[in-house]
Amino acid sequence: MIDIVLLEPEIPANTGNIARTCACTLSRLHLIKPLGFDISEKAVKRAGLDYWQYLDLHVYESFDEFIEKNGDDNLWLATTKAPVSYDMADFRTENVKLLFGKETAGLPEYIRERYRDRCIRIPMWGPVRSLNLSNSVAILLYEALKQQGFPELTGTGSMAHTDNKQP
């Protein structure tokens, strides 16, 4: 199982995209407050998030509460400040947790320092600040899934079952 952990996400569209990616990959989504948006049933319904029912969602009041309930085994921190690229990380272990910071500030320094040896980055060109949060989540999540052999995910598309006759 892969856990996507968002610390204080601010932009609803990013979290919506990430939630959909989690639903499609059977990954759990953990949101750590404060949130920059409403995730009440009414708000989700109004936003037309038709995949929300398939999402394994957990919400926490603080980072400490998340750690208390889930532990920090196999926790990886995504940060542009990390000296190590994500391709150096071993995600083949059970219950990988990928932690991402809020869009405007990333992860706080005290958390990065606490888990210094678990900080990874997505390589990118210097002058550009960073990738979009939902894109970053997708990159790391699919790398972890690849390393794990895409457990429980469909391995073929519908074209694999069609007749191969040419017109």
Side-chain angles (χ1 to χ4, degrees):
M1 174 67 66
I2 299 175
D3 295 290
I4 299 300
V5 185
L6 304 182
L7 180 67
E8 302 177 5
E10 300 168 309
I11 301 173
N14 282 338
T15 301
N17 289 338
I18 293 164
R20 187 179 195 120
T21 301
C22 287
C24 288
T25 59
L26 300 174
S27 302
R28 283 186 292 246
L29 178 59
H30 304 266
L31 302 178
I32 301 172
K33 292 181 179 181
L35 308 179
F37 45 84
D38 181 7
I39 58 169
S40 67
E41 185 177 338
K42 182 179 178 182
V44 168
K45 188 177 268 187
R46 184 174 47 239
L49 304 180
D50 60 348
Y51 53 85
W52 204 258
Q53 66 192 16
Y54 303 109
L55 182 62
D56 187 355
L57 176 66
H58 305 266
V59 181
Y60 306 88
E61 294 298 322
S62 68
F63 179 71
D64 290 336
E65 180 188 359
F66 168 79
I67 294 298
E68 181 182 305
K69 290 184 176 177
N70 299 281
D72 61 3
D73 293 342
N74 303 319
L75 177 67
W76 294 91
L77 287 67
T79 173
T80 59
K81 295 160 182 61
V84 178
S85 175
Y86 74 91
D87 65 326
M88 302 301 287
D90 183 357
F91 298 133
R92 292 173 295 171
T93 58
E94 235 178 84
N95 299 320
V96 169
K97 300 172 190 81
L98 301 173
L99 175 65
F100 299 83
K102 62 180 161 183
E103 292 90 338
T104 59
L107 293 170
E109 185 176 6
Y110 82 93
I111 294 176
R112 293 193 319 265
E113 286 302 321
R114 183 171 164 186
Y115 298 100
R116 183 183 256 299
D117 63 331
R118 291 298 180 132
C119 289
I120 54 175
R121 67 178 170 77
I122 299 170
M124 60 190 85
W125 187 52
V128 181
R129 180 171 46 98
S130 65
L131 291 170
N132 174 277
L133 179 61
S134 62
N135 292 337
S136 296
V137 168
I139 289 168
L140 294 184
L141 174 56
Y142 269 88
E143 175 63 24
L145 288 167
K146 181 183 93 171
Q147 288 187 25
Q148 293 180 5
F150 299 103
E152 299 184 60
L153 301 182
T154 303
T156 60
S158 61
M159 289 176 64
H161 305 292
T162 61
D163 192 324
N164 289 331
K165 293 181 186 175
Q166 293 187 6

